[in-house]
Amino acid sequence: MNVQEIIERIRSYVVEEFLYARRDAEVGADDHLMAKGVIDSMGVVELLEFIQEEYEITIADDEITEENLGTLSAIANFVLMKRDAVGSSA
Amino acid sequence: MTDSDKSGGGLLNIDVAAAAEKVETELRQVVAEDLGRRGLVVAMSGGVDSSVCAGLAVRAMGPKRVFGLMLPESDVEPEAREIAEGWAKQLGIDYAVEDITPVLEGCGCYRRRDEAIRRLVPGYGDGWSSKIVLPGDRLNSDQLNVYYLVVQDPSGNSERLRLPPREYREIVAATNFKQRARKMLEYYHADRLHYAVVGTPNRLEYDQGFFVKGGDGLADVKPIAHLYKTQVYQLADYLGVPKAVTERAPTTGTYSLSQSQEEFYFAVPTKAMDLMLYARNNNWTDEQTASASGYSEVQVGRVFGDIEQKRATTRYLHLAARLIEPVEEIE
């Protein structure tokens, strides 16, 4: 699993769930999802659940930040970091 | 200077006599001319917003053309209703107390809510209480808004859990029955009296989408939606609203565990939130706002971001029904 694979998977989820009426809309890897209006506060909660279930990671309260979850790139790097941490503690 | 004291001095002070007169004049125009109604129905919770609205309604229309409604239910402490009744009697208006608990039981409000909670807390049941809160402390945290369930068992032990989306939506949807049931009764009385219904949001609530669509967001006229909370309190003093109202800590009156608006929605003390919203509306920079408020620019930036995010998220609450094609004869 690499950054690009995660980006594509999250992008696919975001388009399916939040942009279903605008399938031709483009979500760049570094687009800020909330600022661009792709997701709102409810969307953050749903995205959080998807990421945790999809990648079998637990996201702590203080990790729910724009820095970690604000863009597709940020999410991908955050997921890899979390999975590496799980792997190295196994 | 504590966070709760940082209200920017007298920046939000208003000429209360002029402000009251403006509302009263507009209310008469709206009710009699625009809406063609003969009076106003005001749901009175015992809180400062509805108390001020009732006072303004009486000054605008006279006590004989204002009908008060107290709409308690089993999750709200009786003190609130008693306070509201006291003010209604002082105003000299007719009023009714209608307990909406049977309505809420009939539509499964409590059952649906508790079923969702039990998926997370299997032991939740009789004697337990609950509320929903935000992470809190928007001023000092970069955490994005997600909701938490706080439950308290009959022994007083409490637990806080992050809410998954399905349970969050179901708890909120079930709880929204309360505001919608109340509005149903307000319109019942408005219809039988040929009155208009008052909505009581202050500017903070209206701007930030702190209301239920088809619930407390539904009304014919909203007399204080342009006033910051601080200004509502100034009017309350001017109108003679009892201290039992103005000195009571505001609660949402929605969940069985006492819950403030700050912990449920705004995540910032009310006086600070008023000033932040005022600054944002007047295009102040982060630096200007920091200087006036005593907060840091970083803190101001966080709150400004939250203001815009809430406006975006709740924009749909303000929208009227959309037509596929305009009906020009009615528009």
Side-chain angles (χ1 to χ4, degrees):
Chain A
M1 188 187 311
N2 60 37
V3 167
Q4 199 53 44
E5 286 171 344
I6 299 173
I7 287 175
E8 290 311 316
R9 180 68 186 102
I10 304 287
R11 179 185 279 126
S12 173
Y13 168 79
V14 165
V15 169
E16 177 70 26
E17 289 301 313
F18 305 112
L19 298 175
Y20 57 89
R22 295 185 276 155
R23 293 299 180 101
D24 58 341
E26 300 202 354
V27 184
D30 296 316
D31 287 346
H32 286 269
L33 299 173
M34 292 185 84
K36 200 174 172 179
V38 175
I39 62 172
D40 57 14
S41 303
M42 190 66 238
V44 168
V45 179
E46 290 167 346
L47 182 59
L48 200 58
E49 183 176 68
F50 172 77
I51 293 168
Q52 293 189 124
E53 290 180 357
E54 181 78 2
Y55 298 106
E56 297 178 327
I57 59 174
T58 299
I59 301 177
D61 291 349
D62 61 359
E63 293 176 321
I64 305 172
T65 62
E66 178 74 18
E67 183 181 356
N68 291 332
L69 304 173
T71 68
L72 298 180
S73 296
I75 294 170
N77 284 298
F78 175 68
V79 167
L80 282 176
M81 183 272 293
K82 291 288 286 185
R83 285 178 64 92
D84 284 347
V86 169
S88 49
S89 65
Chain B
M1 189 189 302
T2 65
D3 282 350
S4 63
D5 292 332
K6 292 173 181 174
S7 57
L11 201 58
L12 292 169
N13 285 354
I14 53 173
D15 178 337
V16 285
E21 186 176 348
K22 179 177 180 177
V23 171
E24 291 152 26
T25 302
E26 283 298 312
L27 275 178
R28 279 191 294 273
Q29 166 70 31
V30 165
V31 174
E33 303 298 328
D34 300 346
L35 300 176
R37 291 294 182 268
R38 298 188 192 127
L40 288 166
V41 171
V42 186
M44 299 170 67
S45 66
V48 68
D49 295 324
S50 60
S51 298
V52 165
C53 284
L56 290 168
V58 168
R59 285 166 64 103
M61 311 296 296
K64 289 183 180 174
R65 293 186 182 276
V66 178
F67 186 80
L69 259 184
M70 289 92 210
L71 301 157
E73 52 97 7
S74 59
D75 283 341
V76 178
E77 66 264 24
E79 182 195 12
R81 175 187 54 75
E82 291 161 3
I83 290 172
E85 278 195 81
W87 180 226
K89 286 174 182 165
Q90 212 173 316
L91 288 171
I93 63 175
D94 282 345
Y95 68 90
V97 180
E98 303 230 37
D99 189 330
I100 63 168
T101 304
V103 176
L104 297 176
E105 286 172 342
C107 58
C109 164
Y110 307 115
R111 173 181 57 78
R112 295 171 203 260
R113 178 198 63 194
D114 293 353
E115 280 174 2
I117 292 175
R118 272 195 285 276
R119 289 202 295 270
L120 304 173
V121 184
Y124 188 85
D126 290 342
W128 286 67
S129 53
S130 62
K131 63 181 174 181
I132 290 181
V133 299
L134 278 173
D137 201 9
R138 166 58 51 222
L139 289 161
N140 299 308
S141 168
D142 288 320
Q143 186 182 339
L144 299 175
N145 285 331
V146 292
Y147 277 96
Y148 296 82
L149 175 69
V150 175
V151 295
Q152 187 175 82
D153 69 21
S155 303
N157 302 310
S158 63
E159 182 185 358
R160 190 178 96 148
L161 313 91
R162 203 160 79 205
L163 272 168
R166 177 188 172 195
E167 281 71 26
Y168 168 67
R169 286 195 303 264
E170 287 186 17
I171 292 169
V172 169
T175 308
N176 284 351
F177 275 123
K178 300 185 180 188
Q179 286 82 3
R180 292 177 174 137
R182 289 190 171 110
K183 195 56 62 173
M184 186 174 65
L185 281 158
E186 291 171 48
Y187 272 96
Y188 161 73
H189 288 283
D191 285 350
R192 75 173 182 85
L193 293 168
H194 205 57
Y195 282 9
V197 170
V198 169
T200 65
N202 57 60
R203 186 169 192 140
L204 198 55
E205 293 167 341
Y206 186 75
D207 184 302
Q208 294 288 279
F210 186 61
F211 55 87
V212 173
K213 195 173 179 91
D216 50 342
L218 181 61
D220 298 312
V221 61
K222 299 181 181 179
I224 61 170
H226 60 297
L227 296 173
Y228 296 91
K229 189 83 177 189
T230 311
Q231 297 168 340
V232 175
Y233 274 100
Q234 291 169 34
L235 266 180
D237 288 341
Y238 173 71
L239 296 172
V241 173
K243 288 197 185 326
V245 174
T246 58
E247 291 181 355
R248 189 164 166 264
T251 64
T252 62
T254 299
Y255 290 90
S256 50
L257 260 183
S258 181
Q259 174 202 54
S260 69
Q261 287 190 346
E262 178 182 340
E263 67 183 335
F264 177 57
Y265 198 74
F266 296 117
V268 175
T270 302
K271 281 187 179 175
M273 194 63 212
D274 259 2
L275 178 61
M276 295 289 186
L277 187 61
Y278 176 89
R280 188 70 178 168
N281 289 342
N282 287 279
N283 299 311
W284 290 15
T285 63
D286 291 11
E287 184 185 356
Q288 286 173 308
T289 308
S291 175
S293 66
Y295 291 106
S296 71
E297 287 185 46
V298 170
Q299 290 175 316
V300 170
R302 288 184 181 127
V303 177
F304 279 3
D306 201 51
I307 286 172
E308 293 307 324
Q309 189 56 48
K310 284 192 167 74
R311 281 174 172 168
T313 299
T314 63
R315 181 172 168 268
Y316 121 97
L317 296 179
H318 294 276
L319 298 177
R322 307 299 285 266
L323 304 185
I324 304 304
E325 285 185 15
V327 179
E328 290 167 358
E329 296 82 358
I330 304 300
E331 297 297 323

